[in-house]
Amino acid sequence: MSTPPLIRAITLDLDDTLWPFPPIGERIERVLHTWFETHAPRTAAQFPIPAMRRLRERVMDRYPQQSHDASWLRRKGIEIALAESGSDPALADEAYAAFFAERNRVDFYDDARDALARIAARVPVYALSNGNADLATIGIDQYFTGKVTAREFGRGKPDASIFLHACDQLGVAPHEVLHVGDDVEADIVGAHRAGLMTCWLHRDDARERHPTWPKREFVPSLILPTLAALADWLDMQPRHEDAP
């Protein structure tokens, strides 16, 4: 693996990079169903969790133009479930609020929060996500100089334009930005095509899905098992202002 050039900024994925998303996905389904049981029992009866999953797939198929907006798709699914079960669609705001509160209750990977603080002390960090996590609600917005989501931008990873937008907001050339994420296509292939350096964060919980780097046309700039390993690596690099 060749040594990347000096890094002036980092763009950072969130879900499955700072925290595992599958436990969140399971909890939000349960919380939303419990909310329906209390406030819209007909909806709970007609749309148990498996039926809500199927409805979500139906919504995604029906509204492909909104595929970048996880929040819109979720709320639309809630509206349809309420309407089709004969409940009041006006309850959608409260139901979505219950979902969103749970969505932002995250359990960080053991290394992630301390590592994020260490990394942010070295270089500007910009959140770049296809999801709808709220940095302030989670309590980590102080570590980021900014953020962009697919919903805000109108297109998501792996589209090169969202990576280039983040670089533009940072005021840093793409080749001096390191994108860090877990997803092979959305994060690493997308960032590479946009001209960024890449760090594939290959945590233990992803090794069954991808035991090794699966691509052949390029290799990420870095392949590391944890965010702490990235913080350690950065500590060994010269700071940009100290470069000759």
Side-chain angles (χ1 to χ4, degrees):
M1 173 170 29
S2 61
T3 302
L6 288 170
I7 294 167
R8 293 187 58 199
I10 282 175
T11 54
L12 184 66
D13 176 52
L14 301 175
D15 290 326
D16 291 319
T17 295
L18 292 179
W19 50 75
F21 184 76
I24 299 172
E26 293 175 4
R27 290 201 317 267
I28 58 180
E29 289 180 333
R30 294 196 302 268
V31 164
L32 185 57
H33 184 68
T34 298
W35 191 94
F36 283 151
E37 286 181 321
T38 302
H39 302 280
R42 286 180 292 184
T43 306
Q46 184 169 334
F47 289 96
I49 289 173
M52 280 299 291
R53 290 175 183 162
R54 291 191 295 272
L55 174 59
R56 181 164 172 76
E57 293 174 359
R58 175 157 53 104
V59 171
M60 292 172 70
D61 289 341
R62 183 177 177 183
Y63 299 99
Q65 72 277 14
Q66 298 293 336
S67 61
H68 63 281
D69 192 340
S71 294
W72 189 94
L73 291 169
R74 179 71 65 172
R75 195 184 187 287
K76 189 66 175 179
I78 291 171
E79 289 178 0
I80 292 172
L82 290 166
E84 289 188 359
S85 60
S87 299
D88 184 358
L91 293 171
D93 285 340
E94 293 179 41
Y96 181 81
F99 148 80
F100 195 64
E102 190 64 26
R103 193 267 180 266
N104 286 294
R105 188 170 69 85
V106 305
D107 295 317
F108 289 90
Y109 288 110
D110 290 343
D111 68 294
R113 189 157 188 158
D114 287 345
L116 176 60
R118 290 172 58 197
I119 292 167
R122 286 292 304 259
V123 294
V125 181
Y126 200 93
L128 202 168
S129 177
N130 283 356
N132 53 3
D134 185 273
L135 300 177
T137 301
I138 293 168
I140 55 173
D141 54 320
Q142 68 271 26
Y143 300 122
F144 293 87
T145 61
K147 72 176 180 70
V148 61
T149 66
R151 180 188 189 190
E152 296 162 347
F153 185 67
R155 275 173 281 182
K157 302 177 292 183
D159 194 296
S161 61
I162 193 170
F163 294 98
L164 296 175
H165 171 79
C167 294
D168 183 64
Q169 293 299 301
L170 285 161
V172 179
H175 71 274
E176 295 180 304
V177 177
L178 178 71
H179 180 69
V180 182
D182 71 290
D183 191 279
V184 170
E185 294 294 332
D187 288 305
I188 307 308
V189 173
H192 175 77
R193 289 175 178 166
L196 283 70
M197 294 177 282
T198 55
C199 174
W200 187 35
L201 205 65
H202 192 209
R203 292 186 178 277
D204 287 342
D205 59 359
R207 292 185 184 277
E208 183 175 344
R209 188 167 66 251
H210 289 301
T212 59
W213 174 249
K215 291 290 171 179
R216 295 294 181 267
E217 64 269 26
F218 78 99
V219 175
S221 310
L222 295 167
I223 298 176
L224 297 172
T226 63
L227 204 64
L230 176 61
D232 292 340
W233 183 88
L234 278 173
D235 284 344
M236 294 188 293
Q237 308 308 305
R239 293 178 184 268
H240 194 273
E241 59 269 22
D242 296 333

